[in-house]
Amino acid sequence: GDEMSVNTYHVVDVDLADAEELKPDVHLEVAGVKLDLPNLNNAELPIELVQAILLIKSKPALSDEEITACVSTFLAYFQTMQPNFWNVLRKTERPMAYLIATVKAWADESGLDPKAFTSPTSGTTTARR
């Protein structure tokens, strides 16, 4: 019909007092840069990383494509949230190696299983080229 339909909005409320106990931050030093990072095993994750962490948690092992997707998510996070580190990363000779090592250590220290970043094919990549 033509009559104005009035939407009823359900207000979504979050009880902040009810939040999970947050795990301690992770402190890493990479290429001379000290990083204070949120724990990746928390309910309260940086929104930029939620997709990557859910992917990591949902699978026993990630494909190379999924690892690449996760790593690029972390790269974007560092670029936005840790620009100092990102700039140092850019100037190192092996930025990707540093990046992956950082993410692994971050996952480790958070009590997340870093298996996600240990690709099952990593031993054979040189042979496949």
Side-chain angles (χ1 to χ4, degrees), residues 59 61-69 116 119-121:
K59 302 203 157 177
L62 297 184
S63 69
D64 287 349
E65 288 75 22
E66 288 166 331
I67 291 171
T68 306
S119 157
T121 57

Side-chain angles (χ1 to χ4, degrees), residues 24-83:
D25 280 357
V26 171
H27 307 288
L28 302 175
E29 188 175 327
V30 188
V33 181
K34 290 187 169 64
L35 293 170
D36 299 311
L37 302 165
N39 192 299
L40 293 177
N41 223 354
N42 274 337
E44 302 297 314
L45 265 178
I47 198 120
E48 301 87 351
L49 295 174
V50 170
Q51 217 178 336
I53 300 302
L54 290 178
L55 182 62
I56 292 168
K57 285 183 158 182
S58 69
K59 302 203 157 177
L62 297 184
S63 69
D64 287 349
E65 288 75 22
E66 288 166 331
I67 291 171
T68 306
C70 286
V71 169
S72 37
T73 304
F74 278 97
L75 187 59
Y77 170 81
F78 284 129
Q79 192 173 355
T80 317
M81 308 300 287
Q82 305 279 349

Side-chain angles (χ1 to χ4, degrees), residues 1-126:
D2 281 335
E3 73 278 359
M4 292 278 296
S5 64
V6 178
N7 295 328
T8 330
Y9 292 92
H10 175 85
V11 178
V12 176
D13 230 352
V14 175
D15 184 0
L16 295 174
D18 198 30
E20 261 185 63
E21 196 60 38
L22 288 182
K23 300 184 176 71
D25 280 357
V26 171
H27 307 288
L28 302 175
E29 188 175 327
V30 188
V33 181
K34 290 187 169 64
L35 293 170
D36 299 311
L37 302 165
N39 192 299
L40 293 177
N41 223 354
N42 274 337
E44 302 297 314
L45 265 178
I47 198 120
E48 301 87 351
L49 295 174
V50 170
Q51 217 178 336
I53 300 302
L54 290 178
L55 182 62
I56 292 168
K57 285 183 158 182
S58 69
K59 302 203 157 177
L62 297 184
S63 69
D64 287 349
E65 288 75 22
E66 288 166 331
I67 291 171
T68 306
C70 286
V71 169
S72 37
T73 304
F74 278 97
L75 187 59
Y77 170 81
F78 284 129
Q79 192 173 355
T80 317
M81 308 300 287
Q82 305 279 349
N84 293 354
F85 175 58
W86 198 79
N87 283 319
V88 169
L89 212 51
R90 280 175 46 217
K91 295 187 181 98
T92 65
E93 286 183 15
R94 301 189 57 209
M96 281 312 287
Y98 269 112
L99 177 69
I100 290 172
T102 303
V103 173
K104 257 190 193 163
W106 188 1
D108 247 340
E109 294 289 310
S110 299
L112 255 194
D113 191 349
K115 66 178 177 316
F117 296 101
T118 320
S119 157
T121 57
S122 57
T124 57
T125 38
T126 42

